[in-house]
Amino acid sequence: MTHPGRYKGILCAFFSLDWAGLLVGLLVAGFGMVTFQTGDHWGTIAFGGLIAVTGCILSAGALYHLFRVRRSAKRLPPPGQMISVGSFEMHILAEGEAGDGVPIIWVAGGHGQGLLMHHLHRRMKEETRSILFDRAGSGWSQAGPFPRTIPREADELFRLLQSAGEKGRFLMVGHSFGGLFSANFAHMHPELVSGVLLLDATPPWNLTYAGNMSFGPIRSAARKAALACLFGLGWRRRAMDQGAMELGVTKEFAGMEDQIRLEHARPRTHLSSSSALWTAAQSPFDLVVGEGALGDIPLREIIAPESHDALREQLASELRFSERQIGNLFDGLALSPQEYVRLSAQGELAHAPEGTGHMFPYEDPDFVIKHVHEMMSWIRSGVRGGAGGGQLEI
C-alpha cells in the first residue's frame, strides 16, 4: 500500500468509529478554550471563543449520535450470528435447508447490507439454504481493516462461511457492485461456487476506463455523509428518508425501514462504501477481467434495458464530458456485458423485462426468482434452462 493509501486507511478507520466525533468535538472545544484564555488581543480572544462554542456544538451533536446508536442497537439486535473473522466480527443470516437444492448467497448492490436482498432471501429460504451477510462496515458487521478491497472482502466472506460452518458449493447472486464482488469471489474460490447469477452487475470495463468518473461523486458524497453522521446530522428525518430511498426501500422492505435508516446514520457505512469504490477504481487489475477466468462455472448475466439518454445529459452537463468522451464511454458500455459472459465457458446473457431499470431486482422480484430457479436446475442437471421470461443469448 502506498503512503497516501495507508494514511487514508488510518483516517477511515478512525472516523468510522461512532465516538470519533466526540473526540474531535472535545479537541476543538479544548483548543478554543486555551486560545480564549491565553489570548492577549480581542481578535484572538473572540476567535478562541468562537472555536470553543463550535467545539461544544460538535460535541453535543456527537453525544446525540452516540445516544441514538446505542438506543437503536438495543432495539435492533442482529437477526443472525455474529462471527469472528480475525480482528472484527461479521454478521451472517443463514436460513433454510439445502436438501437437494443449491445453497444461495445473496450480495446486495453498492456496499449495502445483506438486508437489502431480504425480499428475495425470504422467498428462497423455504426451498433451500439461503444466506445473507453484511460486508465489513455494513449492517450489523463491525468495520474491518481499511482500505476495503474486493480481494480482502472475498477472503473475509470465505473465512465467515468457514467459521459459520456453511457448506458449499453456492450459487452466488449479486446485484450491481455486488455482482462484481460475486464474480471475483467465484474466481478466487471456485471450489465453493457452483454458479453465478449477475443482476446488472457493475462491469469491470467501467472500473478500468471510467471508475473515477463514475464513482468519484458517490465517494465524495459518502465522505460528507460520514462526517455529518459523526455529529448527529445523519438522524435528521429528511436525511434518513433520502438515504432509505437511495438504498431502494420499497414495499418489499415493510418493517425493515428502521434498520436501513440506522445503516444510513452510521459513519462506518459511508466510509466503508467510499473505500470499496475508491480501491476498485484505483486497482482495477486486481479484479477478475480475463476471458475464461471462471472455467466452466455456469454463469448468467442479466442486464437492464435502460435508456442512456439521461446518463448522456448528466455526463455533458454535470461532469463536462465532451461528445468524443461520451461516445467512447458508450462504445465501451455496449461491449461491457460481454466481459462477464466471456468469464465462463458456460456464460450467457439475458435481458430484464422492458419497463424496468437497474433496480429490477426490486421492481420485478418474481423475474429474479425465475432465474434463480433456472440456475439451480442448470447446476443440478448440467442442462441450460430457459431465460426466465427474458431474452437469452448464449
Side-chain angles (χ1 to χ4, degrees):
M1 187 192 308
T2 64
H3 288 295
R6 184 181 300 116
Y7 297 146
K8 285 183 179 180
I10 293 172
L11 288 173
C12 284
F14 173 71
F15 284 108
S16 67
L17 301 170
D18 286 308
W19 52 262
L22 179 59
L23 179 57
V24 170
L26 292 175
L27 288 174
V28 171
F31 172 76
M33 289 299 297
V34 170
T35 304
F36 178 81
Q37 292 175 350
T38 59
D40 56 2
H41 186 269
W42 70 267
T44 304
I45 295 173
F47 174 75
L50 178 62
I51 295 299
V53 170
T54 301
C56 289
I57 294 173
L58 293 176
S59 298
L63 284 171
Y64 175 71
H65 170 69
L66 290 171
F67 168 74
R68 291 293 300 267
V69 166
R70 181 178 291 272
R71 188 174 71 172
S72 297
K74 288 182 178 179
R75 189 164 53 88
L76 300 167
Q81 295 177 278
M82 296 298 296
I83 303 291
S84 174
V85 290
S87 61
F88 69 104
E89 291 186 339
M90 291 179 66
H91 173 250
I92 182 171
L93 175 63
E95 298 179 294
E97 298 296 331
D100 295 330
V102 180
I104 303 171
I105 297 176
W106 307 91
V107 189
H111 200 261
Q113 60 183 318
L115 189 66
L116 296 180
M117 301 291 269
H118 191 271
H119 63 300
L120 301 170
H121 163 82
R122 67 171 175 253
R123 296 177 63 171
M124 291 305 301
K125 71 179 183 179
E126 304 300 327
E127 302 179 33
T128 187
R129 189 70 164 171
S130 182
I131 299 172
L132 299 175
F133 75 102
D134 297 328
R135 281 164 282 185
S138 71
W140 285 273
S141 289
Q142 297 172 349
F146 287 89
R148 304 307 308 158
T149 68
I150 284 183
R152 168 175 275 167
E153 296 198 330
D155 180 63
E156 290 167 352
L157 175 57
F158 172 76
R159 287 185 283 149
L160 176 65
L161 294 170
Q162 281 194 321
S163 299
E166 296 298 328
K167 305 297 183 182
R169 301 168 77 200
F170 304 97
L171 169 61
M172 302 293 300
V173 183
H175 176 226
S176 193
F177 196 72
L180 178 67
F181 173 88
S182 298
N184 274 267
F185 183 81
H187 181 228
M188 297 172 196
H189 298 285
E191 75 283 0
L192 291 181
V193 178
S194 59
V196 181
L197 178 60
L198 304 176
L199 310 177
D200 210 28
T202 300
W205 176 90
N206 188 24
L207 298 175
T208 57
Y209 181 81
N212 285 314
M213 294 183 290
S214 299
F215 296 145
I218 300 174
R219 298 199 317 270
S220 177
R223 290 193 293 267
K224 293 175 182 176
L227 288 175
C229 290
L230 282 172
F231 302 109
L233 298 180
W235 297 96
R236 292 177 303 164
R237 174 60 55 181
R238 181 178 178 184
M240 293 195 310
D241 289 344
Q242 179 63 29
M245 292 304 296
E246 287 173 356
L247 291 171
V249 175
T250 67
K251 62 181 180 179
E252 301 291 348
F253 294 96
M256 304 178 197
E257 295 91 345
D258 286 347
Q259 170 57 26
I260 293 176
R261 287 168 175 164
L262 171 61
E263 168 93 339
H264 184 72
R266 305 197 75 167
R268 70 187 190 194
T269 300
H270 302 286
L271 290 174
S272 296
S273 174
S274 175
S275 179
L277 296 177
W278 179 77
T279 55
Q282 294 297 314
S283 306
F285 297 108
D286 287 344
L287 308 180
V288 52
V289 292
E291 183 172 344
L294 300 188
D296 61 355
I297 294 176
L299 179 149
R300 182 177 293 175
E301 157 77 339
I302 306 175
I303 59 175
E306 288 184 300
S307 168
H308 289 143
D309 291 343
L311 178 57
R312 285 181 179 273
E313 183 178 344
Q314 181 184 21
L315 291 172
S317 61
E318 297 181 17
L319 300 182
R320 308 296 183 187
F321 276 29
S322 68
E323 285 298 321
R324 180 178 179 182
Q325 287 175 311
I326 293 174
N328 289 339
L329 178 61
F330 279 92
D331 285 345
L333 285 174
L335 297 173
S336 59
Q338 299 298 326
E339 286 188 275
Y340 281 120
V341 173
R342 292 168 180 160
L343 291 180
S344 171
Q346 297 197 80
E348 57 187 31
L349 181 66
H351 298 267
E354 289 296 330
T356 62
H358 180 63
M359 301 300 285
F360 72 83
Y362 304 94
E363 297 166 334
D364 194 348
D366 289 339
F367 176 80
V368 176
I369 295 298
K370 287 180 182 179
H371 276 276
V372 170
H373 284 143
E374 289 181 5
M375 290 295 296
M376 293 173 67
S377 177
W378 180 5
I379 291 166
R380 288 195 301 263
S381 67
V383 178
R384 297 178 194 245
Q391 180 183 354
L392 185 65
E393 301 173 15
I394 301 176

